[in-house]
Amino acid sequence: MQEFEIEQIKEIIKQHGYEYKEILKNDSFSYIFLCQHRSNGQKFVIKMSIKQQIVEDESKNLMELCHPYIIKLYDIFEDDVNEYLVLEYCPNGTIEQKGKLPYKKFVRYSKQILEAIKFCHSKNIALRDINPKNIYIDQYDQIKLTNFGMAKEFQN
């Protein structure tokens, strides 16, 4: 991403009440920024993706999924090209970054993951991209499933 693009993104984020801090991640589909709410100082992640069906599906799915082990969606805004999802910030990284876990922690995290998946299935949503890179750990050491762009709604 070029410097002028970063400056444009910072301005868009600022117009919506957030202060850009840094890029956390980028891949072929999106950029993930660490941001801070300008009035209360709370940290959030803003996921910027080019508008497309995957992004629309992700925001729709997240709006329907309010669960303690699923990442929270706080806000959505867009510009002419991109959609921005304001998401819960998980400062403890991913399961992948944790590496090998002690047995008790592995069991606790596994139960949380299964509860989140069961909840998604109860809402007729199938997650299709569950992997250690998409399982974050919040400040309370709780699992948060993320990346619902590949999730699909299904019929009974």
Side-chain angles (χ1 to χ4, degrees):
M1 182 173 285
Q2 297 180 4
E3 187 61 35
F4 74 91
E5 291 174 306
I6 291 286
E7 292 306 316
Q8 290 174 329
I9 290 166
K10 285 180 182 180
E11 185 57 35
I12 291 166
I13 288 171
K14 184 178 180 181
Q15 290 171 2
H16 288 88
Y18 302 93
E19 180 183 340
Y20 168 95
K21 294 295 185 186
E22 64 180 294
I23 295 176
L24 296 177
K25 181 179 170 185
N26 70 319
D27 57 32
S28 56
F29 295 110
S30 63
Y31 280 87
I32 310 290
F33 306 109
L34 175 62
C35 298
Q36 191 168 12
H37 197 275
R38 292 175 63 209
S39 64
N40 65 20
Q42 184 174 351
K43 290 183 179 177
F44 293 93
V45 167
I46 296 182
K47 181 177 184 178
M48 180 191 82
S49 303
I50 295 172
K51 291 180 192 176
Q52 56 186 325
Q53 189 62 45
I54 290 173
V55 175
E56 291 174 16
D57 289 346
E58 181 169 23
S59 57
K60 179 181 173 278
N61 288 329
L62 285 172
M63 282 189 267
E64 294 182 24
L65 297 171
C66 183
H67 189 273
Y69 305 133
I70 296 174
I71 200 82
K72 287 181 181 56
L73 173 67
Y74 287 97
D75 195 8
I76 302 171
F77 55 91
E78 58 184 49
D79 59 23
D80 293 337
V81 178
N82 300 305
E83 182 173 78
Y84 301 80
L85 303 179
V86 180
L87 302 164
E88 176 179 9
Y89 173 56
C90 296
N92 292 320
T94 67
I95 290 288
E96 180 181 57
Q97 293 167 329
K98 291 288 184 190
K100 187 174 180 179
L101 299 169
Y103 179 77
K104 285 185 178 184
K105 188 166 279 208
F106 169 80
V107 170
R108 189 166 68 80
Y109 285 170
S110 296
K111 286 179 181 180
Q112 292 174 5
I113 292 166
L114 291 170
E115 284 183 41
I117 293 169
K118 180 180 176 183
F119 179 76
C120 291
H121 290 179
S122 76
K123 299 291 186 182
N124 294 332
I125 295 174
L127 301 176
R128 300 187 314 163
D129 193 16
I130 299 173
N131 67 68
K133 293 178 186 176
N134 295 334
I135 302 171
Y136 280 78
I137 303 164
D138 72 8
Q139 67 270 28
Y140 305 109
D141 199 35
Q142 303 294 317
I143 289 299
K144 298 291 180 169
L145 293 185
T146 66
N147 197 353
F148 284 77
M150 299 300 293
K152 290 292 179 193
E153 194 169 347
F154 62 91
Q155 301 302 318
N156 288 338

